[in-house]
Amino acid sequence: MPWVRMAYNSLWAEMVTRLEMRWRQQQIAGSGVARLGMNASIDNADADPPTAAATTYAANAADEELSFFDRKDLGRTIIGALLMPAISSICGSFLGHFSFVRTRIPDNFHRNILGGCLFVVIKDLAGLVGTYQEMKRRRVRRIREYSEFKDERE
């Protein structure tokens, strides 16, 4: 099992890293003065405004994303590790209800291992979809001027 875990983690990291880098590049490429508003003020007057605005936005987005992706809580990790056998057992018993799985994998222990593996894969896929949705939301996010907001309230 440790070899399967190492192979899965390295394969997943390789695939997800490529996807996240592509999403970040699309997000940075989509940033610019149009996303910051028409009257965006830039502190550096002698700099090229679109370049400075895009650089500032990209730096802020990169800092925000690092804090978003690197957030791991020790308690959450410990609780997840303690609950993993129970989750594997639940998934394995659920798989036992299907005759296709029950005939191919008659032993309950092996169904529990398969259920735990399926849970990890589904959890990783759900996290990837969540990350994609967050990137998509950030890509279309823009800063609105007060006049736009004021007109909408009235």
Side-chain angles (χ1 to χ4, degrees):
M1 285 305 285
W3 293 106
V4 173
R5 180 177 176 253
M6 287 175 33
Y8 173 75
N9 285 340
S10 64
L11 180 67
W12 182 260
E14 184 68 29
M15 288 175 25
V16 170
T17 303
R18 288 182 186 171
L19 278 174
E20 286 180 354
M21 291 303 292
R22 188 176 347 149
W23 293 340
R24 285 185 181 130
Q25 288 172 353
Q26 289 173 354
Q27 183 178 3
I28 291 172
S31 65
V33 172
R35 294 190 56 178
L36 294 174
M38 303 240 291
N39 297 327
S41 63
I42 299 171
D43 293 336
N44 193 358
D46 59 338
D48 183 26
T51 306
T55 305
T56 304
Y57 180 79
N60 290 340
D63 290 342
E64 214 173 286
E65 287 173 17
L66 284 176
S67 66
F68 178 73
F69 289 119
D70 292 337
R71 207 180 327 163
K72 280 204 172 184
D73 188 21
L74 180 63
R76 188 174 178 180
T77 304
I78 291 171
I79 296 298
L82 291 174
L83 288 177
M84 190 62 187
I87 293 170
S88 296
S89 175
I90 291 169
C91 293
S93 65
F94 179 72
L95 288 174
H97 291 289
F98 298 106
S99 62
F100 175 77
V101 176
R102 196 173 44 245
T103 57
R104 303 235 187 302
I105 306 172
D107 188 26
N108 194 21
F109 176 75
H110 291 107
R111 281 196 305 261
N112 289 349
I113 289 178
L114 180 63
C117 292
L118 285 176
F119 172 76
V120 169
V121 169
I122 290 170
K123 181 182 66 115
D124 287 345
L125 288 174
L128 185 63
V129 169
T131 302
Y132 174 73
Q133 293 296 326
E134 181 70 21
M135 291 284 196
K136 187 177 172 183
R137 185 187 64 80
R138 287 182 184 188
R139 202 177 314 140
V140 298
R141 181 176 62 179
R142 69 179 187 95
I143 299 173
R144 296 170 50 182
E145 292 186 27
Y146 177 72
S147 60
E148 294 174 17
F149 180 69
K150 184 178 79 169
D151 294 339
E152 201 173 90
R153 287 179 58 192
E154 293 174 357

